[in-house]
Amino acid sequence: NYFDGDTQYFRNGAGTTERMRITSAGNVGIGTTSPGGKLSVSGIGTSLAPTLSLTNTSADNFNHNINAFAPNLTSGKSNILIFGKAGTTKNSAYIGFRYSGTSGSNDNLLILGHWASDNLMTISGDGNVGIGTGTVRAGSKFEVSGMATFGTSLTNNDDYYNSPITLRERGLVGANQTSNIYAPNLNFHWGSRVSNSLWMDDDGNLSWGPYSGTGVPSISLSYGLSSGKIGAGTSLPAVPLHAVGTDELLRLQDNLTNGNPYISFFQTT
């Protein structure tokens, strides 16, 4: 090794090829003559000979290859690891940690994004996944802000596995297991104006009606399907068409100028 001003150079034996240098700023360069970081490595990399290789011989539950901490993070700041082609818009991606300002908070986020296209996906401290939700912790286990498409290309004969979306009960035991407030349901919200639920009870009855805090639609305004029966105002229709109410129950209207609405009765045999 030798010095040139404030820079120390390292060569291989009596050779003249530089292998490493330490600049006056304390930056270490391997394979580069202008290290921009505290450690800069440049060279070829293949599957069997990567540019940087770390081997951890521990056998614990969690084996730490790299710890990368930023102890001076304040609220809304992130610590990220970048990889890709270049440090320009959408030419690289990152995985990182966004600090909420509160130690140990579920609002601290694991973040995924592209360079200049930030926080595309987040995972909160309690495992809530958000896509398109920005830097706000997702309010449920899976939250999507924006359009979403679900499909399947599976060929399993079991429809359960072929379904792109499956809703299941919450897996509770004891008395709560048979309570309909824990039944699978889909909730539809239009801001603060109107909310409805599509909900199935533990007998397989499907209902549609106004959303409630328990997840069970109001029976008086629901529409139920059970064993091929349709219910209006009841979630348990007893006949193929069952309407319950205190006002007009059936209206037939033809919008044609000379139309005549009618009901036809016939026997198949």
Side-chain angles (χ1 to χ4, degrees):
N1 63 84
Y2 66 96
F3 288 91
D4 180 6
D6 293 327
T7 300
Q8 185 175 9
Y9 303 87
F10 295 84
R11 292 176 177 172
N12 184 15
T16 59
T17 302
E18 179 183 323
R19 300 301 182 186
M20 185 177 76
R21 69 168 54 191
I22 303 175
T23 68
S24 58
N27 294 349
V28 177
I30 300 175
T32 176
T33 59
S34 56
K38 287 302 178 184
L39 174 62
S40 297
V41 180
S42 178
I44 62 173
T46 65
S47 60
L48 299 179
T51 306
L52 179 64
S53 176
L54 301 175
T55 301
N56 188 331
T57 59
S58 300
D60 297 326
N61 289 334
F62 297 95
N63 302 290
H64 294 219
N65 269 9
I66 298 176
N67 285 355
F69 300 128
N72 295 324
L73 283 182
T74 56
S75 177
K77 306 302 181 182
S78 301
N79 183 15
I80 61 176
L81 173 64
I82 300 175
F83 48 94
K85 178 178 175 58
T88 54
T89 299
K90 298 182 182 179
N91 287 323
S92 56
Y94 64 80
I95 182 172
F97 171 83
R98 188 178 192 276
Y99 185 51
S100 69
T102 302
S103 178
S105 171
N106 287 328
D107 291 328
N108 294 332
L109 303 175
L110 170 68
I111 56 176
L112 298 174
H114 286 277
W115 190 294
S117 184
D118 299 317
N119 307 304
L120 301 178
M121 179 176 176
T122 64
I123 303 177
S124 65
D126 54 352
N128 289 359
V129 177
I131 299 177
T133 54
T135 57
V136 179
R137 171 178 167 266
S140 59
K141 283 303 177 185
F142 183 59
E143 180 177 346
V144 178
S145 178
M147 297 294 293
T149 301
F150 299 88
T152 178
S153 59
L154 302 178
T155 57
N156 192 301
N157 289 329
D158 190 335
D159 287 340
Y160 174 84
Y161 293 101
N162 285 336
S163 174
I165 300 178
T166 299
L167 301 180
R168 302 187 63 186
E169 38 71 30
R170 302 183 190 181
L172 302 179
V173 296
N176 285 335
Q177 191 174 25
T178 57
S179 175
N180 284 333
I181 67 172
Y182 299 107
N185 62 85
L186 281 174
N187 296 321
F188 300 83
H189 302 283
W190 186 280
S192 59
R193 293 168 53 188
V194 62
S195 297
N196 285 300
S197 293
L198 182 64
W199 166 80
M200 185 180 72
D201 66 16
D202 52 6
D203 292 320
N205 299 309
L206 186 65
S207 297
W208 169 264
Y211 170 84
S212 68
T214 64
V216 181
S218 170
I219 296 302
S220 63
L221 297 174
S222 68
Y223 301 86
L225 296 173
S226 176
S227 301
K229 303 181 179 89
I230 299 176
T234 174
S235 63
L236 298 173
V239 293
L241 179 59
H242 187 172
V244 176
T246 59
D247 205 339
E248 181 182 16
L249 293 180
L250 179 63
R251 174 178 294 188
L252 300 177
Q253 180 174 334
D254 194 325
N255 289 330
L256 295 177
T257 303
N258 298 316
N260 296 300
Y262 64 91
I263 299 178
S264 177
F265 299 90
F266 65 94
Q267 187 173 337
T268 59
T269 59

PDB file of all heavy atoms in Angstrom, residues 79-107:
ATOM      1  N   ASN A  79     -36.269   4.915   6.325  1.00  0.00           N
ATOM      2  CA  ASN A  79     -34.960   4.302   6.134  1.00  0.00           C
ATOM      3  C   ASN A  79     -35.139   3.232   5.060  1.00  0.00           C
ATOM      4  O   ASN A  79     -35.920   2.290   5.236  1.00  0.00           O
ATOM      5  CB  ASN A  79     -34.474   3.673   7.437  1.00  0.00           C
ATOM      6  CG  ASN A  79     -33.081   3.082   7.316  1.00  0.00           C
ATOM      7  OD1 ASN A  79     -32.349   3.367   6.374  1.00  0.00           O
ATOM      8  ND2 ASN A  79     -32.710   2.240   8.275  1.00  0.00           N
ATOM      9  N   ILE A  80     -34.483   3.371   3.897  1.00  0.00           N
ATOM     10  CA  ILE A  80     -34.777   2.506   2.758  1.00  0.00           C
ATOM     11  C   ILE A  80     -33.521   1.833   2.198  1.00  0.00           C
ATOM     12  O   ILE A  80     -32.408   2.329   2.347  1.00  0.00           O
ATOM     13  CB  ILE A  80     -35.487   3.283   1.624  1.00  0.00           C
ATOM     14  CG1 ILE A  80     -34.607   4.420   1.110  1.00  0.00           C
ATOM     15  CG2 ILE A  80     -36.825   3.829   2.105  1.00  0.00           C
ATOM     16  CD1 ILE A  80     -35.219   5.176  -0.077  1.00  0.00           C
ATOM     17  N   LEU A  81     -33.742   0.697   1.547  1.00  0.00           N
ATOM     18  CA  LEU A  81     -32.715  -0.024   0.801  1.00  0.00           C
ATOM     19  C   LEU A  81     -33.131  -0.014  -0.662  1.00  0.00           C
ATOM     20  O   LEU A  81     -34.217  -0.489  -1.007  1.00  0.00           O
ATOM     21  CB  LEU A  81     -32.595  -1.464   1.308  1.00  0.00           C
ATOM     22  CG  LEU A  81     -31.678  -2.400   0.527  1.00  0.00           C
ATOM     23  CD1 LEU A  81     -30.234  -1.919   0.595  1.00  0.00           C
ATOM     24  CD2 LEU A  81     -31.791  -3.831   1.039  1.00  0.00           C
ATOM     25  N   ILE A  82     -32.287   0.535  -1.533  1.00  0.00           N
ATOM     26  CA  ILE A  82     -32.617   0.731  -2.946  1.00  0.00           C
ATOM     27  C   ILE A  82     -31.889  -0.283  -3.812  1.00  0.00           C
ATOM     28  O   ILE A  82     -30.720  -0.596  -3.586  1.00  0.00           O
ATOM     29  CB  ILE A  82     -32.244   2.159  -3.395  1.00  0.00           C
ATOM     30  CG1 ILE A  82     -33.022   3.199  -2.575  1.00  0.00           C
ATOM     31  CG2 ILE A  82     -32.517   2.354  -4.876  1.00  0.00           C
ATOM     32  CD1 ILE A  82     -32.620   4.621  -2.865  1.00  0.00           C
ATOM     33  N   PHE A  83     -32.590  -0.799  -4.831  1.00  0.00           N
ATOM     34  CA  PHE A  83     -31.975  -1.699  -5.801  1.00  0.00           C
ATOM     35  C   PHE A  83     -32.655  -1.489  -7.154  1.00  0.00           C
ATOM     36  O   PHE A  83     -33.820  -1.111  -7.226  1.00  0.00           O
ATOM     37  CB  PHE A  83     -32.113  -3.165  -5.362  1.00  0.00           C
ATOM     38  CG  PHE A  83     -33.513  -3.538  -4.944  1.00  0.00           C
ATOM     39  CD1 PHE A  83     -34.404  -4.102  -5.835  1.00  0.00           C
ATOM     40  CD2 PHE A  83     -33.928  -3.311  -3.637  1.00  0.00           C
ATOM     41  CE1 PHE A  83     -35.685  -4.428  -5.447  1.00  0.00           C
ATOM     42  CE2 PHE A  83     -35.221  -3.642  -3.242  1.00  0.00           C
ATOM     43  CZ  PHE A  83     -36.103  -4.202  -4.142  1.00  0.00           C
ATOM     44  N   GLY A  84     -31.915  -1.707  -8.231  1.00  0.00           N
ATOM     45  CA  GLY A  84     -32.480  -1.500  -9.560  1.00  0.00           C
ATOM     46  C   GLY A  84     -31.416  -1.148 -10.578  1.00  0.00           C
ATOM     47  O   GLY A  84     -30.252  -1.515 -10.426  1.00  0.00           O
ATOM     48  N   LYS A  85     -31.806  -0.418 -11.624  1.00  0.00           N
ATOM     49  CA  LYS A  85     -30.894  -0.057 -12.715  1.00  0.00           C
ATOM     50  C   LYS A  85     -30.173   1.257 -12.456  1.00  0.00           C
ATOM     51  O   LYS A  85     -28.976   1.380 -12.685  1.00  0.00           O
ATOM     52  CB  LYS A  85     -31.667   0.016 -14.041  1.00  0.00           C
ATOM     53  CG  LYS A  85     -30.830   0.443 -15.240  1.00  0.00           C
ATOM     54  CD  LYS A  85     -31.660   0.438 -16.519  1.00  0.00           C
ATOM     55  CE  LYS A  85     -30.858   0.990 -17.692  1.00  0.00           C
ATOM     56  NZ  LYS A  85     -29.619   0.235 -17.948  1.00  0.00           N
ATOM     57  N   ALA A  86     -30.906   2.267 -11.997  1.00  0.00           N
ATOM     58  CA  ALA A  86     -30.301   3.584 -11.782  1.00  0.00           C
ATOM     59  C   ALA A  86     -31.140   4.376 -10.793  1.00  0.00           C
ATOM     60  O   ALA A  86     -32.317   4.073 -10.570  1.00  0.00           O
ATOM     61  CB  ALA A  86     -30.197   4.338 -13.112  1.00  0.00           C
ATOM     62  N   GLY A  87     -30.514   5.404 -10.226  1.00  0.00           N
ATOM     63  CA  GLY A  87     -31.215   6.241  -9.268  1.00  0.00           C
ATOM     64  C   GLY A  87     -32.013   7.332  -9.934  1.00  0.00           C
ATOM     65  O   GLY A  87     -31.793   8.524  -9.677  1.00  0.00           O
ATOM     66  N   THR A  88     -32.944   6.936 -10.803  1.00  0.00           N
ATOM     67  CA  THR A  88     -33.811   7.878 -11.499  1.00  0.00           C
ATOM     68  C   THR A  88     -35.244   7.361 -11.447  1.00  0.00           C
ATOM     69  O   THR A  88     -35.489   6.205 -11.096  1.00  0.00           O
ATOM     70  CB  THR A  88     -33.372   8.068 -12.967  1.00  0.00           C
ATOM     71  OG1 THR A  88     -33.302   6.782 -13.602  1.00  0.00           O
ATOM     72  CG2 THR A  88     -32.008   8.741 -13.044  1.00  0.00           C
ATOM     73  N   THR A  89     -36.192   8.198 -11.810  1.00  0.00           N
ATOM     74  CA  THR A  89     -37.614   7.897 -11.654  1.00  0.00           C
ATOM     75  C   THR A  89     -37.996   6.529 -12.205  1.00  0.00           C
ATOM     76  O   THR A  89     -37.811   6.240 -13.392  1.00  0.00           O
ATOM     77  CB  THR A  89     -38.449   8.985 -12.358  1.00  0.00           C
ATOM     78  OG1 THR A  89     -38.170  10.249 -11.755  1.00  0.00           O
ATOM     79  CG2 THR A  89     -39.940   8.691 -12.215  1.00  0.00           C
ATOM     80  N   LYS A  90     -38.484   5.677 -11.332  1.00  0.00           N
ATOM     81  CA  LYS A  90     -39.011   4.343 -11.633  1.00  0.00           C
ATOM     82  C   LYS A  90     -37.988   3.415 -12.275  1.00  0.00           C
ATOM     83  O   LYS A  90     -38.361   2.376 -12.828  1.00  0.00           O
ATOM     84  CB  LYS A  90     -40.278   4.442 -12.493  1.00  0.00           C
ATOM     85  CG  LYS A  90     -41.417   5.179 -11.790  1.00  0.00           C
ATOM     86  CD  LYS A  90     -42.672   5.243 -12.612  1.00  0.00           C
ATOM     87  CE  LYS A  90     -43.749   6.033 -11.864  1.00  0.00           C
ATOM     88  NZ  LYS A  90     -45.008   6.166 -12.636  1.00  0.00           N
ATOM     89  N   ASN A  91     -36.704   3.769 -12.187  1.00  0.00           N
ATOM     90  CA  ASN A  91     -35.651   2.885 -12.665  1.00  0.00           C
ATOM     91  C   ASN A  91     -34.990   2.119 -11.536  1.00  0.00           C
ATOM     92  O   ASN A  91     -33.994   1.421 -11.746  1.00  0.00           O
ATOM     93  CB  ASN A  91     -34.598   3.669 -13.451  1.00  0.00           C
ATOM     94  CG  ASN A  91     -35.113   4.089 -14.809  1.00  0.00           C
ATOM     95  OD1 ASN A  91     -35.841   3.351 -15.463  1.00  0.00           O
ATOM     96  ND2 ASN A  91     -34.752   5.287 -15.227  1.00  0.00           N
ATOM     97  N   SER A  92     -35.535   2.239 -10.357  1.00  0.00           N
ATOM     98  CA  SER A  92     -35.101   1.446  -9.220  1.00  0.00           C
ATOM     99  C   SER A  92     -36.261   1.352  -8.239  1.00  0.00           C
ATOM    100  O   SER A  92     -37.240   2.102  -8.330  1.00  0.00           O
ATOM    101  CB  SER A  92     -33.859   2.056  -8.549  1.00  0.00           C
ATOM    102  OG  SER A  92     -34.103   3.397  -8.176  1.00  0.00           O
ATOM    103  N   ALA A  93     -36.150   0.416  -7.320  1.00  0.00           N
ATOM    104  CA  ALA A  93     -37.199   0.191  -6.330  1.00  0.00           C
ATOM    105  C   ALA A  93     -36.572   0.160  -4.948  1.00  0.00           C
ATOM    106  O   ALA A  93     -35.345   0.130  -4.801  1.00  0.00           O
ATOM    107  CB  ALA A  93     -37.935  -1.114  -6.629  1.00  0.00           C
ATOM    108  N   TYR A  94     -37.431   0.167  -3.926  1.00  0.00           N
ATOM    109  CA  TYR A  94     -36.892   0.122  -2.574  1.00  0.00           C
ATOM    110  C   TYR A  94     -37.833  -0.612  -1.629  1.00  0.00           C
ATOM    111  O   TYR A  94     -39.031  -0.743  -1.860  1.00  0.00           O
ATOM    112  CB  TYR A  94     -36.615   1.534  -2.042  1.00  0.00           C
ATOM    113  CG  TYR A  94     -37.825   2.418  -1.879  1.00  0.00           C
ATOM    114  CD1 TYR A  94     -38.674   2.302  -0.776  1.00  0.00           C
ATOM    115  CD2 TYR A  94     -38.127   3.403  -2.823  1.00  0.00           C
ATOM    116  CE1 TYR A  94     -39.773   3.124  -0.618  1.00  0.00           C
ATOM    117  CE2 TYR A  94     -39.227   4.229  -2.680  1.00  0.00           C
ATOM    118  CZ  TYR A  94     -40.052   4.091  -1.567  1.00  0.00           C
ATOM    119  OH  TYR A  94     -41.146   4.902  -1.420  1.00  0.00           O
ATOM    120  N   ILE A  95     -37.248  -1.114  -0.580  1.00  0.00           N
ATOM    121  CA  ILE A  95     -37.981  -1.629   0.572  1.00  0.00           C
ATOM    122  C   ILE A  95     -37.482  -0.842   1.771  1.00  0.00           C
ATOM    123  O   ILE A  95     -36.288  -0.518   1.844  1.00  0.00           O
ATOM    124  CB  ILE A  95     -37.764  -3.146   0.757  1.00  0.00           C
ATOM    125  CG1 ILE A  95     -38.584  -3.666   1.959  1.00  0.00           C
ATOM    126  CG2 ILE A  95     -36.291  -3.487   0.908  1.00  0.00           C
ATOM    127  CD1 ILE A  95     -38.577  -5.176   2.082  1.00  0.00           C
ATOM    128  N   GLY A  96     -38.359  -0.461   2.645  1.00  0.00           N
ATOM    129  CA  GLY A  96     -37.915   0.398   3.733  1.00  0.00           C
ATOM    130  C   GLY A  96     -38.843   0.395   4.930  1.00  0.00           C
ATOM    131  O   GLY A  96     -39.811  -0.371   5.016  1.00  0.00           O
ATOM    132  N   PHE A  97     -38.526   1.276   5.852  1.00  0.00           N
ATOM    133  CA  PHE A  97     -39.264   1.431   7.099  1.00  0.00           C
ATOM    134  C   PHE A  97     -39.615   2.900   7.267  1.00  0.00           C
ATOM    135  O   PHE A  97     -38.748   3.772   7.138  1.00  0.00           O
ATOM    136  CB  PHE A  97     -38.398   0.963   8.278  1.00  0.00           C
ATOM    137  CG  PHE A  97     -38.965   1.283   9.630  1.00  0.00           C
ATOM    138  CD1 PHE A  97     -39.919   0.466  10.212  1.00  0.00           C
ATOM    139  CD2 PHE A  97     -38.538   2.412  10.329  1.00  0.00           C
ATOM    140  CE1 PHE A  97     -40.441   0.765  11.465  1.00  0.00           C
ATOM    141  CE2 PHE A  97     -39.052   2.721  11.575  1.00  0.00           C
ATOM    142  CZ  PHE A  97     -40.014   1.897  12.140  1.00  0.00           C
ATOM    143  N   ARG A  98     -40.890   3.188   7.515  1.00  0.00           N
ATOM    144  CA  ARG A  98     -41.340   4.565   7.735  1.00  0.00           C
ATOM    145  C   ARG A  98     -41.747   4.721   9.190  1.00  0.00           C
ATOM    146  O   ARG A  98     -42.606   3.989   9.693  1.00  0.00           O
ATOM    147  CB  ARG A  98     -42.511   4.920   6.817  1.00  0.00           C
ATOM    148  CG  ARG A  98     -42.889   6.409   6.873  1.00  0.00           C
ATOM    149  CD  ARG A  98     -44.022   6.700   5.893  1.00  0.00           C
ATOM    150  NE  ARG A  98     -44.223   8.126   5.693  1.00  0.00           N
ATOM    151  CZ  ARG A  98     -44.960   8.905   6.496  1.00  0.00           C
ATOM    152  NH1 ARG A  98     -45.573   8.372   7.549  1.00  0.00           N
ATOM    153  NH2 ARG A  98     -45.088  10.193   6.241  1.00  0.00           N
ATOM    154  N   TYR A  99     -41.131   5.675   9.862  1.00  0.00           N
ATOM    155  CA  TYR A  99     -41.348   5.877  11.291  1.00  0.00           C
ATOM    156  C   TYR A  99     -42.485   6.858  11.521  1.00  0.00           C
ATOM    157  O   TYR A  99     -42.533   7.938  10.919  1.00  0.00           O
ATOM    158  CB  TYR A  99     -40.061   6.403  11.930  1.00  0.00           C
ATOM    159  CG  TYR A  99     -40.127   6.542  13.434  1.00  0.00           C
ATOM    160  CD1 TYR A  99     -40.553   5.490  14.230  1.00  0.00           C
ATOM    161  CD2 TYR A  99     -39.748   7.729  14.051  1.00  0.00           C
ATOM    162  CE1 TYR A  99     -40.604   5.613  15.606  1.00  0.00           C
ATOM    163  CE2 TYR A  99     -39.792   7.864  15.430  1.00  0.00           C
ATOM    164  CZ  TYR A  99     -40.222   6.805  16.200  1.00  0.00           C
ATOM    165  OH  TYR A  99     -40.271   6.934  17.570  1.00  0.00           O
ATOM    166  N   SER A 100     -43.429   6.483  12.375  1.00  0.00           N
ATOM    167  CA  SER A 100     -44.599   7.318  12.649  1.00  0.00           C
ATOM    168  C   SER A 100     -44.324   8.404  13.673  1.00  0.00           C
ATOM    169  O   SER A 100     -45.131   9.323  13.829  1.00  0.00           O
ATOM    170  CB  SER A 100     -45.746   6.439  13.153  1.00  0.00           C
ATOM    171  OG  SER A 100     -45.449   5.935  14.451  1.00  0.00           O
ATOM    172  N   GLY A 101     -43.211   8.280  14.371  1.00  0.00           N
ATOM    173  CA  GLY A 101     -42.912   9.219  15.442  1.00  0.00           C
ATOM    174  C   GLY A 101     -43.140   8.628  16.817  1.00  0.00           C
ATOM    175  O   GLY A 101     -42.755   9.227  17.833  1.00  0.00           O
ATOM    176  N   THR A 102     -43.750   7.434  16.870  1.00  0.00           N
ATOM    177  CA  THR A 102     -44.033   6.776  18.140  1.00  0.00           C
ATOM    178  C   THR A 102     -43.355   5.415  18.169  1.00  0.00           C
ATOM    179  O   THR A 102     -43.635   4.559  17.323  1.00  0.00           O
ATOM    180  CB  THR A 102     -45.543   6.597  18.357  1.00  0.00           C
ATOM    181  OG1 THR A 102     -46.183   7.875  18.300  1.00  0.00           O
ATOM    182  CG2 THR A 102     -45.830   5.947  19.699  1.00  0.00           C
ATOM    183  N   SER A 103     -42.481   5.212  19.138  1.00  0.00           N
ATOM    184  CA  SER A 103     -41.758   3.949  19.255  1.00  0.00           C
ATOM    185  C   SER A 103     -42.729   2.801  19.542  1.00  0.00           C
ATOM    186  O   SER A 103     -43.612   2.909  20.389  1.00  0.00           O
ATOM    187  CB  SER A 103     -40.722   4.045  20.375  1.00  0.00           C
ATOM    188  OG  SER A 103     -40.036   2.824  20.533  1.00  0.00           O
ATOM    189  N   GLY A 104     -42.580   1.699  18.820  1.00  0.00           N
ATOM    190  CA  GLY A 104     -43.402   0.521  19.052  1.00  0.00           C
ATOM    191  C   GLY A 104     -44.827   0.628  18.537  1.00  0.00           C
ATOM    192  O   GLY A 104     -45.668  -0.214  18.857  1.00  0.00           O
ATOM    193  N   SER A 105     -45.129   1.637  17.714  1.00  0.00           N
ATOM    194  CA  SER A 105     -46.497   1.864  17.242  1.00  0.00           C
ATOM    195  C   SER A 105     -46.831   0.980  16.049  1.00  0.00           C
ATOM    196  O   SER A 105     -45.979   0.677  15.212  1.00  0.00           O
ATOM    197  CB  SER A 105     -46.677   3.333  16.844  1.00  0.00           C
ATOM    198  OG  SER A 105     -47.914   3.537  16.206  1.00  0.00           O
ATOM    199  N   ASN A 106     -48.115   0.576  15.961  1.00  0.00           N
ATOM    200  CA  ASN A 106     -48.584  -0.143  14.777  1.00  0.00           C
ATOM    201  C   ASN A 106     -48.607   0.751  13.543  1.00  0.00           C
ATOM    202  O   ASN A 106     -48.737   0.258  12.421  1.00  0.00           O
ATOM    203  CB  ASN A 106     -49.981  -0.715  15.018  1.00  0.00           C
ATOM    204  CG  ASN A 106     -49.974  -1.909  15.949  1.00  0.00           C
ATOM    205  OD1 ASN A 106     -49.014  -2.676  15.982  1.00  0.00           O
ATOM    206  ND2 ASN A 106     -51.033  -2.074  16.714  1.00  0.00           N
ATOM    207  N   ASP A 107     -48.497   2.062  13.737  1.00  0.00           N
ATOM    208  CA  ASP A 107     -48.462   3.001  12.614  1.00  0.00           C
ATOM    209  C   ASP A 107     -47.090   3.056  11.951  1.00  0.00           C
ATOM    210  O   ASP A 107     -46.936   3.689  10.903  1.00  0.00           O
ATOM    211  CB  ASP A 107     -48.868   4.402  13.068  1.00  0.00           C
ATOM    212  CG  ASP A 107     -50.343   4.480  13.438  1.00  0.00           C
ATOM    213  OD1 ASP A 107     -51.132   3.747  12.826  1.00  0.00           O
ATOM    214  OD2 ASP A 107     -50.690   5.266  14.327  1.00  0.00           O
TER     215      ASP A 107
END
